[in-house]
Amino acid sequence: MRPAHLNPGPPVVLVAHGSRDPRAAEATRALARAVAAARPGTTVLPSWLDHTDPGPTVVLRELAAAGHRRAVLVPLLLTAAYHRLVDIPAAVAAAAEGGPSIEVRIADVLGPADGAVDGALLAGLRRRLAEAAPGGYDALVLAAAGTRDPRARGSVGRVALALGVESGVGCRVSYASAAPPGAGAAVAKLRARGARRVAVAAYFLAPGLFHDAVLAAARDAGAVAVAAPLTDGPELVDLILRRATAHFS
């Protein structure tokens, strides 16, 4: 999918969850570079809610101090759970305290917005699956990080349903934490029901400990392939650009 070519707009601040694994931060920086390359002339800056600096509050304050009066914040999140509902608004509110003012628009997360699964997200998942399982598969597991928020789990389920429909095979959800089933259990259940080539789609933006755990568990359970995270693929760049552009008026 070809990224949208847009006129330069206000600075775009990407906000990732953050991880102790340095590969995750480097993937976020690579994604920021890819988005900037797709929108020449626009400032695109990465930030993290935890584990890695700078945080979004610092980035927004620095933009305001540099004279920017508007910014668009794009959450690098696949569900609209606690981090989107609480942490990110709190970071934006903190940026407005005791310094130059800056108007901040917060974009939708990259997962389903208003119940709709974006085609670019599905295209990215399918491309990673094709890379990991060129010989095909007869069943799928969508492995996500996990959340206790039932609405967020529902959005992951919508992605799994859409991915299964597009791929023409059944697709089950699994989680690396916070909710069952795990990836190994999901793969084992599909194999027990007769599937012989179970592949795992990685509903992750970056590599890290969760993806490593999914990879090990799924392989131990007999999966033929585990896809890589979405990272800085062109589909994700396109989706971020469109999320940001919705707030450029």
Side-chain angles (χ1 to χ4, degrees), residues 8-12 60 63 67-72 101-105 247-249:
V12 174
L60 291 171
L63 287 171
H68 294 281
R69 293 295 170 257
R70 294 190 302 145
V72 177
S101 64
I102 183 169
E103 179 189 357
V104 181
R105 304 282 184 91
H247 297 274
F248 273 16
S249 59

Side-chain angles (χ1 to χ4, degrees), residues 6-12 39 42-43 70-74 105 240-249:
L6 305 168
N7 293 325
V12 174
R39 191 196 300 279
T42 295
T43 298
R70 294 190 302 145
V72 177
L73 190 155
V74 181
R105 304 282 184 91
I240 289 169
L241 288 174
R242 288 186 285 106
R243 289 287 196 257
T245 303
H247 297 274
F248 273 16
S249 59

